[in-house]
Every structure is written in structure tokens, then in C-alpha cells.
Amino acid sequence: MLVCALGAQHLKPGRFLADQRSAAKIEDRLPREFAGWKIAPVAGVLVNPQQDKLINSLYAEVINRTYVSSSGQRLMLSISYGRNQSDNLQVHKPEVCYPAQGFQVQSLNQGELRIDDQVIPVRRLETTFGPARPEPVTYWTTVGDHAVASGTDKKLQEMRYAFKGFVADGLLFRMSSIDPDSKRAFETHSRFAADLYAALGPAERRQLFGSLD
């Protein structure tokens, strides 16, 4: 029993992976303009104060931006970053938080987003807020520098970091747009992600997009 106790203590992570990253906030490292996209004034975004309070209590940084393309397409970007991806500080998934704000989830499907040599596991939702606001959503989650496809993958990555002595950080990267044509919206999300990936440096790419290696 003593050996087991000592072993468990030895494997208990004592360092935060977040402390190995740049001290600069993610928001400060995100470009405001790239590849024909630029930040636009926020308009028509629904806010639930209780939901915001919960999210802000879970995450070290929450970023919400609206980008508009040179052709007039608008895309809402949300990044929620947490220093500790333990069970009580998990990413707040859109299939949970959207209904909490009054949206209906019409469909939820797993998919893949291919950018260069990266294959990112994503989830795509079709949501509506009444007849006037159809909002397709694409999102993925990371643990450390790894995109995770499921709860099992998440646990495995957390364990791998724990064996190295680290408490893993992680984030939820969400894109959405108000568009009745879901196929067109998802294509816009994929194009935006690829354009952003090309505009970032290696460290930002690893943190925001992860990998599956």
C-alpha cells in the first residue's frame, strides 16, 4: 500500500502546461486582419448573463470576435481557454450552452477539418433561435497541443501529460455564422480556419489547432 501511495504521489502532476506557453494572451496573438478577413463591430449577438458568468468562472481567457470577409460574409469566433482541463473545468460544449440560451439543436455530427497536413476532429451543429436565426456551428477541442475527438481521447491525453508531470490546459475553438444554408456556412468555417492557420506562427497553430500525433 505504501508503494502504491508513493507511486500515485509521484505520478501526480505538479506543473501547469500553461506556464510553459507564451505569457501573452491568446487574444493579443490573434490577427485582427488576415487573408481578406477583418474584425467587424458585433451586432445581434445574444448574451445570457448567467451563462457568461459561468463561462468566465471556468476559463482563464474567453475571446469573442466577429470577422467579416472581403465579400461580406460574417463569422463569429469564440475561443474559451482553460489552464486546467480536469473534470470540473471542462470546455463548455455548444450542444450544451446553445440550448441553455434558447437555441434548438437540429443536428449534431462529427466530421474532420483538413488544413495542410492536419486532420482536426470537429463537430458540426445546425441550430436555430426562432425562424429568423439559423446558426450553423463548427467547433473542436484541444488538450495541451492535441486536438481530441472524444471523451476517451481527452482522458488519454490528460494521462499522457500527467505522466510527464503536467496538468494539461485546453480550449474550445468555435465558429458560427447566421446562414440558412448550412453547407455554405460550414464551407465558410473551413475557409476561415484555413486562412487563420496560415496567418499564425507555429506556437499559436499548435495551441489553437492541436495535432493528432
Side-chain angles (χ1 to χ4, degrees):
M1 291 178 62
L2 178 60
V3 172
C4 290
L6 291 173
Q9 184 65 31
H10 177 71
L11 291 176
K12 185 177 180 180
R15 295 174 293 168
F16 283 87
L17 186 64
D19 293 334
Q20 311 299 310
R21 301 193 186 278
S22 168
K25 291 184 176 181
I26 295 174
E27 184 163 22
D28 295 336
R29 290 179 280 146
L30 278 178
R32 299 179 64 86
E33 188 171 349
F34 60 94
W37 296 94
K38 62 180 180 180
I39 290 181
V42 177
V45 177
L46 297 177
V47 176
N48 183 317
Q50 291 182 331
Q51 197 74 8
D52 281 354
K53 183 177 180 180
L54 172 62
I55 290 174
N56 289 330
S57 71
L58 293 176
Y59 298 109
E61 188 175 0
V62 178
I63 302 156
N64 290 296
R65 288 183 178 181
T66 297
Y67 283 89
V68 61
S69 72
S70 55
S71 59
Q73 294 169 306
R74 298 177 71 89
L75 179 141
M76 291 170 283
L77 171 67
S78 177
I79 300 173
S80 301
Y81 170 73
R83 286 172 51 85
N84 181 355
Q85 284 303 294
S86 61
D87 287 340
N88 62 328
L89 289 175
Q90 293 188 42
V91 289
H92 202 67
K93 296 183 177 180
E95 58 263 38
V96 176
C97 65
Y98 266 67
Q101 296 182 68
F103 284 79
Q104 291 186 333
V105 177
Q106 307 294 336
S107 70
L108 170 59
N109 297 291
Q110 293 184 331
E112 292 181 343
L113 181 62
R114 295 179 177 270
I115 302 176
D116 290 345
D117 58 347
Q118 292 283 88
V119 180
I120 303 167
V122 301
R123 289 194 173 190
R124 297 187 175 100
L125 293 76
E126 293 178 291
T127 76
T128 58
F129 189 86
R133 188 184 172 107
E135 187 173 331
V137 179
T138 300
Y139 82 90
W140 65 81
T141 61
T142 68
V143 172
D145 291 333
H146 299 269
V148 292
S150 67
T152 301
D153 290 342
K154 178 180 181 297
K155 287 293 185 184
L156 287 174
Q157 290 299 337
E158 288 175 351
M159 290 172 60
R160 287 172 182 170
Y161 280 108
F163 279 124
K164 297 176 183 178
F166 286 107
V167 175
D169 60 354
L171 58 80
L172 185 148
F173 188 109
R174 187 188 82 214
M175 299 169 287
S176 66
S177 47
I178 301 173
D179 193 334
D181 187 332
S182 296
K183 182 176 183 295
R184 178 176 61 195
F186 293 139
E187 289 172 352
T188 298
H189 302 170
S190 296
R191 186 172 69 256
F192 175 88
D195 289 342
L196 178 60
Y197 184 91
L200 295 172
E204 288 73 28
R205 289 178 179 179
R206 286 195 303 272
Q207 185 175 13
L208 295 181
F209 290 82
S211 65
L212 288 177
D213 57 0

